[in-house]
Amino acid sequence: MPAEPRPGDGARLALTTFTILPVRAGRIDRATAGTAMALAPAVGALLGVPLAGVLLLLDAVTAPLVAAGVTVAAGALLTRGLHLDGLADTVDALGSYRRGAAALEIMKKPDVGPFGVVALVLVLLVQAATLAELAGGSRPAALVAVVTATAAGRLGVTLACRRGVPAARPEGLGALVAGTVGPVALAAGTAAVALLAVAAVPGRPWQGPLAVLVALAVAAGLLRHVVRRLGGITGDVLGATVELVTTLVYLGLVLSG
């Protein structure tokens, strides 16, 4: 009988998967992976704190767009750029109109195609523009907004790893984490991030939670399409989901009626 994972193994796996923190890895199996994917939003919130700090500190001494651009760069640095790489590879595969193994082969290529380049430019541009808008408003709300968006992005991974979503390959990160998150963990993560989002837009407590839920709904649609085209999720798909949800939440938080 396999040994039970230690309580901290899932947290360590979550930190090493979603950040550059030099945490010693513990036991890695599907049970541990399920815990790690359920904890992904908490790691995202933790990551959002220093990113909000960078944004607000730089905004005090330079232009908001410069502060926003550096904050986006810091986010890529603190995650080794893995989510952006996953976004580019996933969009290239989907943009090829190929299916199954042929599309997965495109994702393995080290180069970035035109679809991937366009996706990266658009995502980084929208993130920088929305962060600049947030920096120009209430500082406490901006801090909550950054934490909310980074937590929501990782909640997208929790969604992607829910039961019933298969892996596209028999090996790799997707195979390890696919189908490991139960409905209770997903519901708890969604409720926590939505509650956090209440304070992200001053005077509109409904707008933050709505932005989170809409972004998750779009991500669910993307995941259904990915399963049809690729057969399931991969590590690249998880990265693409992080960037998609993060960007949509930022956009939803700065929209005004």
Side-chain angles (χ1 to χ4, degrees):
M1 180 180 296
E4 289 293 324
R6 290 170 295 183
D9 287 345
R12 282 193 289 270
L13 181 58
L15 287 170
T16 57
T17 300
F18 296 107
T19 75
I20 60 170
L21 289 176
V23 179
R24 181 178 297 178
R27 181 181 177 84
I28 299 178
D29 54 21
R30 284 182 57 79
T32 304
T35 301
M37 297 306 103
L39 290 174
V43 175
L46 179 67
L47 181 65
V49 173
L51 292 180
V54 169
L55 178 68
L56 297 178
L57 286 174
L58 288 180
D59 180 59
V61 297
T62 187
L65 189 56
V66 175
V70 174
T71 302
V72 171
L77 176 64
L78 292 176
T79 58
R80 300 186 296 273
L82 290 179
H83 307 319
L84 292 170
D85 179 69
L87 172 68
D89 288 343
T90 300
V91 173
D92 276 339
L94 296 178
S96 71
Y97 293 101
R98 298 182 184 179
R99 292 180 175 271
L104 292 172
E105 191 61 31
I106 291 174
M107 298 175 80
K108 289 183 178 180
K109 293 183 178 179
D111 58 325
V112 179
F115 288 110
V117 170
V118 171
L120 288 174
V121 170
L122 289 176
V123 161
L124 294 174
L125 179 61
V126 172
Q127 288 185 7
T130 52
L131 280 167
E133 181 72 16
L134 290 170
S138 163
R139 294 175 73 83
L143 189 153
V144 175
V146 175
V147 174
T148 294
T150 52
R154 280 70 188 172
L155 178 61
V157 173
T158 307
L159 175 71
C161 296
R162 71 190 186 278
R163 290 173 189 165
V165 179
R169 300 188 183 100
E171 75 286 332
L173 179 61
L176 177 66
V177 302
T180 59
V181 177
V184 173
L186 177 57
T190 303
V193 176
L195 182 62
L196 175 65
V198 168
V201 183
R204 295 184 176 186
W206 51 268
Q207 186 167 340
L210 180 61
V212 171
L213 295 177
V214 169
L216 290 178
V218 174
L222 171 67
L223 290 168
R224 284 195 295 271
H225 183 61
V226 165
V227 170
R228 286 197 301 268
R229 289 284 302 279
L230 307 180
I233 63 170
T234 68
D236 283 333
V237 171
L238 299 182
T241 304
V242 169
E243 294 298 338
L244 172 67
V245 175
T246 301
T247 304
L248 289 176
V249 170
Y250 275 136
L251 186 60
L253 293 178
V254 301
L255 291 178
S256 58

